[in-house]
Amino acid sequence: MPTLTLSEFKITELDAPLGAEVTGLDASQSVAPDVILQLKQALRDRHILIFKNQNLTDEQLLNFAFYFGSLYVPPDDVPVLASKPGVTPVVIPISNVDNGYTGSGEIPFHSDHLWTPYPSSGSLLYAIEVPPEGGDTYWLNLNLAYETLDESTKERIADLELITYNPFLQDPNGPRPKYRLDKSIPLISPVFPHPLVRTHPESGKKILYLSYSNEVEVVGLDPQEGAELIEQLREHLNQPRFYYQHKWSVGDIVYWDNQATLHYRQAFDPNYRRVMKRVSLAGSRPF
């Protein structure tokens, strides 16, 4: 099997708050060590990598993903996307057809698996079929969001912990609160507080570790005070200067650092097909 050499590929930073495009790399083949190390450094620096013009089987997608880490496996009692009793698929179909997941609606900015004890470090999403319009994905730079906070807010949130409640244990037809104000509601799953300001485990950068619309609670704060703080932080997050919009092409793989970004999906016409495959990689306890 041929091995990619360092001179055959290029990493080009996007003119955006995050992201780099990788060309001249065939992810179905073996990749040289120097190339993998450059890709890992680029991910630390730019938070998402976009690989163009790929053509992979599920096995080849997994083999490529495993250069960057081991498979993310959630606890049995903490469901995530595609969880079924005792098993979560290794390669998850992100598709609005053929029993895939996530449908065709809008998906607000979020970080995957934030409600679990050890959220995933990242994911690779591979585009097989894309709609002619809509269905774009946006990624948001959480380090930049943190760095642009005013100093008093940074001091206020420095040592706070945040609980993110599991959206897959909520009534899909019920209300979707963004903050847990009612303490009398019984818990139906374990909860795992994480730092509101996370330190990236490889770069050391500070991250505003907060999804945009999941139900959350700041540990130790009065509910009203906590709700107001989170609303303030979410208003800060909701700025175009923090994000990159990706229009998908068939054969794209986007590998994002789930520890340093949020992602959002545009709605698209459900009469169009959008077929993708996702592999998520194991992470560590946030600190």
Side-chain angles (χ1 to χ4, degrees):
M1 180 179 292
T3 300
L4 181 70
T5 63
L6 195 58
S7 62
E8 292 178 312
F9 90 118
K10 185 177 181 181
I11 301 173
T12 305
E13 292 188 4
L14 302 178
D15 183 17
L18 69 170
E21 185 174 290
V22 181
T23 52
L25 184 150
D26 182 352
S28 70
Q29 305 296 319
S30 296
V31 183
D34 285 353
V35 172
I36 294 298
L37 291 171
Q38 282 210 18
L39 293 173
K40 289 187 173 188
Q41 182 63 58
L43 186 76
R44 283 195 295 271
D45 293 343
R46 298 298 296 170
H47 308 310
I48 64 171
L49 299 179
I50 302 160
F51 301 87
K52 305 295 290 185
N53 303 313
Q54 303 300 315
N55 185 12
L56 305 178
T57 64
D58 285 4
E59 182 180 8
Q60 289 167 336
L61 177 61
L62 277 172
N63 285 339
F64 182 61
F66 290 159
Y67 280 120
F68 306 105
S70 56
L71 186 71
Y72 174 74
V73 180
D76 288 343
D77 59 346
V78 185
V80 299
L81 181 69
S83 285
K84 297 176 181 177
V87 65
T88 298
V90 174
V91 178
I92 295 176
I94 305 296
S95 169
N96 65 323
V97 295
D98 303 329
N99 298 312
Y101 295 91
T102 74
S104 59
E106 180 184 60
I107 303 176
F109 272 114
H110 64 284
S111 175
D112 292 335
H113 316 124
L114 190 53
W115 54 92
T116 68
Y118 315 113
S120 58
S121 64
S123 292
L124 292 87
L125 187 60
Y126 170 45
I128 298 168
E129 297 181 58
V130 299
E133 57 186 7
D136 293 0
T137 304
Y138 298 59
W139 278 271
L140 189 153
N141 183 336
L142 288 176
N143 168 246
L144 185 59
Y146 171 78
E147 295 294 348
T148 51
L149 289 168
D150 63 82
E151 291 304 316
S152 63
T153 301
K154 287 181 182 178
E155 290 177 11
R156 183 183 179 193
I157 67 176
D159 298 316
L160 294 178
E161 289 192 314
L162 187 76
I163 294 170
T164 301
Y165 289 91
N166 192 331
F168 293 97
L169 290 172
Q170 291 178 320
D171 179 355
N173 301 312
R176 289 293 182 103
K178 292 189 174 184
Y179 196 90
R180 192 177 183 88
L181 291 169
D182 186 352
K183 298 279 192 172
S184 68
I185 301 172
L187 292 176
I188 55 174
S189 72
V191 294
F192 306 98
H194 297 315
L196 181 54
V197 179
R198 179 176 183 174
T199 301
H200 193 279
E202 295 172 3
S203 71
K205 293 177 180 178
K206 296 296 185 183
I207 304 297
L208 181 57
Y209 200 44
L210 170 68
S211 288
Y212 192 72
S213 63
N214 290 105
E215 183 183 13
V216 298
E217 175 186 344
V218 180
V219 177
L221 286 192
D222 171 81
Q224 195 59 47
E225 180 187 357
E228 290 171 1
L229 172 62
I230 293 302
E231 182 178 7
Q232 172 193 335
L233 294 174
R234 284 171 166 166
E235 285 181 5
H236 176 72
L237 283 172
N238 190 27
Q239 299 186 64
R241 63 176 170 147
F242 299 145
Y243 60 69
Y244 157 70
Q245 178 180 356
H246 183 67
K247 183 170 180 59
W248 291 91
S249 298
V250 171
D252 285 355
I253 299 174
V254 178
Y255 172 25
W256 70 90
D257 186 340
N258 195 52
Q259 304 159 132
T261 64
L262 302 181
H263 55 286
Y264 159 93
R265 188 188 70 192
Q266 278 181 339
F268 61 97
D269 187 333
N271 294 309
Y272 295 137
R273 292 172 59 94
R274 186 178 188 272
V275 179
M276 301 188 173
K277 299 287 185 73
R278 191 190 82 185
V279 175
S280 294
L281 301 176
S284 55
R285 178 181 176 180
F287 58 86

